[in-house]
Amino acid sequence: MAPLLSVENLKVQFASRATLATAVDDFTFRIEPGECVGLVGESGCGKTTTGLSIMRLLPPNGHIAGGRILLDDVDLASLDDKEMRHHRGKSVALIPQDPMSSLNPTTKIGKQIGEGLQIHEGASVEEARKRALEVLEMVEMPRPAERLDQYPFELSGGLRQRVIIAMGLVCRPKLLIADEPTTALDVTIQAQILDLIDNLRSELNMGVLLITHDMGVIAGRADRVVVMYGGKKAEQAETNELFHRMRHPYAQALLASMPNLELASKHRLDSIAGLPPDLSKEIIACRFAPRCAYATDQCRAQDPPLSVEGDHEFACFHPVNGPVPVEVHAAETTIRSTERPEILRIEGLVKEFPIKAGLVRHKVGAIHAVSDVTFSIRAGETFGLVGESGCGKTTIGRMVVGLEHPTAGEIYFDGGLISSRRHKPTRAQRRDRQMMFQDPYSSLNPRMTVGDILAEPLRIQRQGTRAEQRARVEDLLRVVGLERMAADRYPHEFSGGQRQRIGLARALALNPRLIVADEPVSALDVSIQAQILNLMKDLQREHSLTYVFVSHDLAVVYYMADTIGVMYLGKIVEIGDAESVFRTPAHPYTQGLLDAVPVPEPEAARSRRGIQVRGELPSAVNPPSGCRFRTRCPRAQDVCAAEEPALRAFGPDQQAACHFPLRTPVTLSSASAAGPTPAS
């Protein structure tokens, strides 16, 4: 049988005033009907460019310079714009990375979905609306009829992604290109979207090209994997073959960069030093050689040809034989000391944001962002705050650093009350608490150089002379692994990982004692993520830093944290030492978060069933009665709606709030009860 898609020797170039960059070079792969092929690699390796080339949606300065793109024996690369419009959306559809930027904010959902059917099949408005409802039901959209008349901004990120998938399916395409479809989503919503694409592929016998930088995403989803580096194919194999017997060092390094919940212990993450090659320059050697631990003079002088072992292809002079053995890592064991002083205590914290309406803007309701949260952190430790978007994690972090004021409750830092409006914190107290923001680009002033950005807090706090401030900026750049020349450049001149390093340097400028890191690696490639996480751990040891680490990914939180607090809709539902929460969770929501984390091991990924956290987070304006998780909990019963569960002990350092927990609560002895607990 002929393949559904056959990409042959594809070459794509981008022109600028001074250079011609070859973003994709001699790239070949195929997709069979009903098959999912995973295209994996770091940002800048040519994955998205390959997908856009198939769709013929390259930007004006890009063009296909060679090769063929055969979809059912039709060469898409040779079609003119008018001919391609007949295939785009009908034969092949695209799920873009950012659904909000791909949806028209001024047009209702139903009209946007049905538009493709009207263009390609001449459907009437009524027929298009009926089909839009059908595909919304197909993608398991909650209350689909209601969504037809809503606008994109009224939907959550997960629901917007379902709308984008519905738009792609409306004309029943043969091929679906999913370009990082879950990068910005919570792990629970990510699992739902990936399950949905899997189910639709089986039902419609549709080919899928799944583009991602995450080896865990493709492990349980793809039939075959193509590893791309520097615009070229590095390796290609059936999924099980690649994960168990990978041959290219780059594939091995990508896998080793991931925090893996299946491993027996925490270990320092491998990271890939450096960056992908500059594709605007001619490259005659192996493109991975400057970053490869196995590179020799031959690798630096010649471009390795593709070697073939059955259906396994790889381009390497010195192939490896499988993933890095876990034993080569030095295990890290965290020793929690009860003698460390308590640096932060939060008691009964409440934060509500008023909802106002009418001409006089009177209060008509409130968003219950944080509801009666209590925990404490010891100096030099990391408290991981985990949960889905909208659970109140970032709000707590902003209150800790003083960017928001609590509605009720107290925050104590180093024994002093810092949450009272009547007692404003001193300048020294403000210096000691800093924030590392989720999006470093939006939090860095684009009109200031990096040197000025790092020096600004020193000037505001009147620390040192100008010469001393310049020296401090250079020292900060060195600490986070950047060159001195970076001080004279602007934020847009750096990669995402480098900007995150600048954000960390900005947080370190005043020698704080506590840093709130708000989703610091959620949008980064796994290789860059590993560099940032390792750097944060190193700096914590060197400077005795305390972290509040906010994330939706339990794999990352487990790697970083000593203590974990699991939040759901403004409440702490489980809290305890990282090992207990990870290995023996008591709350169904915690188990659901663990089960949703992608596992970079095909058999384990496909055999995981666990607790499925389905649906969307309820509204924080009108939270469910009783247990707030009951509307999504597979164990919920009548009592869950009537009574709010209290925190109960499941060990000396673990508590959970659930009527029907996964484990039996324990009765602590008086000695144990008198000892410190995470929520004490």
Side-chain angles (χ1 to χ4, degrees), residues 67-106:
R68 299 196 301 170
I69 303 171
L70 300 176
L71 182 66
D72 275 348
D73 293 327
V74 176
D75 185 8
L76 302 183
S78 66
L79 302 181
D80 60 30
D81 289 342
K82 183 178 180 180
E83 292 171 326
M84 186 61 205
R85 282 196 294 270
H86 176 72
H87 293 275
R88 189 187 297 124
K90 184 176 182 180
S91 301
V92 54
L94 174 70
I95 303 175
Q97 183 171 349
D98 181 9
M100 193 59 187
S101 63
S102 305
L103 294 170
N104 189 331
T106 65

Side-chain angles (χ1 to χ4, degrees), residues 4 31-37 174 198 201-202 204-208 223:
L4 170 65
I31 300 177
E32 306 291 344
E35 182 184 35
C36 178
V37 172
K174 300 173 183 177
D198 257 359
R201 174 169 66 97
S202 300
L204 305 175
N205 195 36
M206 179 175 60
V208 173
D223 300 304

Side-chain angles (χ1 to χ4, degrees), residues 30 152 201 255 270 329 332 365 404 484 513 605 632 650:
R30 72 184 191 281
R201 174 169 66 97
L255 185 61
D270 283 356
H329 297 284
E332 292 186 357
E404 299 283 355
R484 290 176 55 185
R513 298 171 61 192
R632 303 169 73 191
F650 292 85

Side-chain angles (χ1 to χ4, degrees), residues 553-594:
D553 189 339
L554 252 176
V556 171
V557 170
Y558 170 65
Y559 173 72
M560 287 294 298
D562 303 294
T563 305
I564 295 176
V566 181
M567 283 196 75
Y568 185 80
L569 206 60
K571 292 270 189 179
I572 291 280
V573 297
E574 184 161 2
I575 191 168
D577 68 277
E579 291 296 323
S580 297
V581 172
F582 164 65
R583 298 190 185 282
T584 55
H587 200 283
Y589 182 59
T590 307
Q591 186 64 60
L593 290 177
L594 285 166

Side-chain angles (χ1 to χ4, degrees), residues 142-199:
R143 305 190 303 278
E146 177 184 327
R147 308 299 182 187
L148 292 174
D149 294 314
Q150 290 185 319
Y151 292 92
F153 63 84
E154 298 181 82
L155 306 180
S156 67
L159 295 185
R160 286 197 292 265
Q161 197 64 282
R162 291 175 191 269
V163 171
I164 286 289
I165 297 174
M167 290 175 67
L169 296 176
V170 71
C171 291
R172 304 172 184 86
K174 300 173 183 177
L175 175 67
L176 185 66
I177 301 172
D179 183 13
E180 299 276 10
T182 60
T183 297
L185 301 179
D186 295 325
V187 287
T188 53
I189 305 302
Q190 171 180 271
Q192 293 179 41
I193 296 298
L194 293 174
D195 284 345
L196 175 62
I197 293 174
D198 257 359
N199 295 336

Side-chain angles (χ1 to χ4, degrees), residues 215 235 239-256 270 294 309 312 314 318-326 328-329 600:
M215 296 285 275
E235 187 165 5
T239 303
N240 282 334
E241 168 76 6
L242 184 129
F243 275 83
H244 293 142
R245 199 169 158 268
M246 55 185 55
R247 305 293 277 150
H248 201 285
Y250 180 59
Q252 186 186 63
L254 280 178
L255 185 61
D270 283 356
Y294 306 97
E309 296 178 355
H312 197 152
F314 54 91
H318 307 289
V320 297
N321 190 23
V324 177
V326 176
V328 304
H329 297 284

Side-chain angles (χ1 to χ4, degrees), residues 277-494:
D278 182 356
L279 299 179
S280 65
K281 299 177 181 177
E282 184 181 5
I283 304 172
I284 59 173
C286 173
R287 301 183 177 209
F288 188 58
R291 308 172 72 190
C292 181
Y294 306 97
T296 63
D297 290 342
Q298 181 186 23
C299 306
R300 300 181 188 98
Q302 301 175 34
D303 188 12
L306 274 175
S307 300
V308 180
E309 296 178 355
D311 291 330
H312 197 152
E313 300 177 357
F314 54 91
C316 185
F317 290 123
H318 307 289
V320 297
N321 190 23
V324 177
V326 176
E327 300 82 61
V328 304
H329 297 284
E332 292 186 357
T333 304
T334 302
I335 301 175
R336 300 191 65 222
S337 173
T338 57
E339 297 179 0
R340 287 177 174 173
E342 181 182 272
I343 191 171
L344 182 72
R345 172 179 286 273
I346 288 175
E347 294 183 353
L349 197 64
V350 175
K351 179 62 180 179
E352 296 180 354
F353 294 96
I355 300 174
K356 297 182 179 181
L359 293 175
V360 295
R361 308 297 295 166
H362 63 282
K363 182 179 177 180
V364 296
I367 298 172
H368 304 276
V370 179
S371 302
D372 194 21
V373 167
T374 297
F375 63 85
S376 63
I377 311 174
R378 296 186 183 279
E381 295 189 351
T382 298
F383 184 87
L385 205 52
V386 66
E388 295 168 282
S389 298
C391 283
K393 311 183 302 297
T394 296
T395 302
I396 288 179
R398 291 175 64 84
M399 287 190 284
V400 167
V401 299
L403 294 177
E404 299 283 355
H405 290 286
T407 304
E410 288 80 37
I411 302 175
Y412 296 90
F413 181 76
D414 200 19
L417 180 65
I418 60 171
S419 57
S420 172
R421 291 178 182 270
R422 291 178 296 177
H423 300 90
K424 292 185 177 181
T426 64
R427 182 175 293 176
Q429 288 175 322
R430 287 189 179 277
R431 283 201 303 263
D432 285 339
R433 296 169 288 128
Q434 296 294 320
M435 188 125 183
M436 187 175 174
F437 293 93
Q438 178 174 359
D439 181 2
Y441 191 65
S442 65
S443 61
L444 299 174
N445 191 328
R447 295 179 178 85
M448 294 173 65
T449 65
V450 167
D452 288 337
I453 289 170
L454 298 183
E456 184 180 36
L458 302 174
R459 290 196 295 267
I460 292 173
Q461 293 280 345
R462 300 168 189 165
Q463 290 196 358
T465 63
R466 288 192 175 274
E468 290 171 335
Q469 290 171 2
R470 283 195 297 271
R472 176 60 176 159
V473 167
E474 292 180 3
D475 183 57
L476 287 169
L477 292 172
R478 178 191 58 78
V479 164
V480 299
L482 294 174
E483 298 178 354
R484 290 176 55 185
M485 294 182 295
D488 299 322
R489 295 161 62 189
Y490 291 88
H492 72 270
E493 299 180 77
F494 295 89

